[in-house]
Amino acid sequence: MSSPASHDPPRPDSELERLADRYADGDESAIGEILHREGPGIERRMRQRIPPRMRRRFGVSDVVQDMAVELVQQRGRFLNRGASALRRFLRTVADRVLGRAIRRERQQRRDVARNVRTGEDNPVEHHPAALGRPSEQLADRERVVTVKACYARLSREERLVIELVEQDGLTYREVAERLAITPEAARKRFDRAMAHLVATLRDAGLLDDAAP
């Protein structure tokens, strides 16, 4: 008596190899399937690579979704040599997308810190726009007034921790000693304060809604 034909399920890598073929052939619908399949691993990799002080403000799943656009743009660079090649390519693309997101976050933090510093004393005198036309000087003064108002909406505790880190340049350990708290508590307090300030500046129209 002959045994029944065996119908083994496809190996996981076999499925990924088929997705690699479709992606290499220009089938953009394969990108969504690839990210659905490999997304959890990519997210774990990203979380390990995000600087600790940025982790509270990063939506890793959003960064993974940004990979879809990058994968469309970078398809011509993919050399299809099977599932392992696709995974390596995904890691390269993920690192590139995450790197851009981290740079945007750092730039925004610098912008926020600069906004805070230009709210001191008579900032217009030290701002490049002060050398421009009267209309530019007026716009800059209005911006400074708005920044001051946003900063004033923060609590005293929030303003203090931002000033210690961004203006005085203290480390979290030094802030912790100054405030009699732990370094981790100092980091969390600073992150919450910056998130509040960013949201306040965004509500006032001083930051792009699309900024992270």
Side-chain angles (χ1 to χ4, degrees):
M1 179 177 176
S2 61
S3 60
S6 153
H7 297 286
D8 294 330
R11 292 183 299 110
D13 278 0
S14 297
E15 182 179 346
L16 190 58
E17 285 171 3
R18 286 195 291 271
L19 288 172
D21 290 340
R22 288 172 52 194
Y23 172 61
D25 290 340
D27 182 358
E28 293 184 1
S29 67
I31 293 175
E33 297 179 47
I34 291 170
L35 291 178
H36 176 74
R37 177 186 172 84
E38 301 295 312
I42 294 171
E43 289 186 14
R44 285 193 298 271
R45 176 181 175 83
M46 286 187 174
R47 288 191 182 96
Q48 293 170 353
R49 290 171 174 262
I50 294 172
R53 67 187 293 180
M54 292 186 181
R55 286 174 186 164
R56 288 174 58 87
R57 296 188 298 278
F58 253 82
V60 172
S61 59
D62 293 335
V63 180
V64 172
Q65 291 304 312
D66 289 344
M67 285 181 62
V69 175
E70 189 77 9
L71 286 169
V72 171
Q73 296 173 343
Q74 299 296 325
R75 183 178 59 82
R77 295 175 176 266
F78 174 55
L79 183 59
N80 187 10
R81 291 180 176 172
S84 60
L86 179 57
R87 287 196 176 101
R88 286 194 299 271
F89 187 70
L90 289 173
R91 288 195 294 268
T92 298
V93 171
D95 290 348
R96 182 181 297 118
V97 172
L98 179 61
R100 282 202 301 263
I102 289 173
R103 287 193 294 274
R104 285 197 304 269
E105 175 69 18
R106 286 173 172 160
Q107 182 60 52
Q108 178 169 303
R109 289 167 66 90
R110 287 193 291 268
D111 290 345
V112 169
R114 184 168 60 250
N115 283 339
V116 170
R117 287 194 294 271
T118 58
E120 301 171 355
D121 302 327
N122 187 7
V124 177
E125 292 180 358
H126 307 288
H127 195 282
L131 303 177
R133 296 186 298 272
S135 60
E136 293 173 337
Q137 296 180 33
L138 178 60
D140 192 70
R141 289 192 182 95
E142 291 173 347
R143 176 177 174 275
V144 169
V145 169
T146 304
V147 169
K148 285 183 176 180
C150 290
Y151 193 58
R153 290 173 59 185
L154 303 185
S155 69
R156 183 177 180 278
E157 179 183 271
E158 290 173 327
R159 293 196 300 271
L160 175 59
V161 72
I162 289 175
E163 289 163 5
L164 290 175
V165 174
E166 294 292 353
Q167 296 183 22
D168 296 347
L170 300 187
T171 65
Y172 290 138
R173 184 172 298 278
E174 291 168 334
V175 172
E177 292 173 355
R178 183 79 63 90
L179 301 180
I181 57 178
T182 66
E184 178 65 13
R187 181 187 68 79
K188 290 181 178 179
R189 186 177 296 185
F190 174 75
D191 285 346
R192 287 193 297 268
M194 288 296 291
H196 188 190
L197 179 56
V198 167
T200 305
L201 292 169
R202 181 177 288 125
D203 289 344
L206 294 178
L207 291 178
D208 191 343
D209 287 340

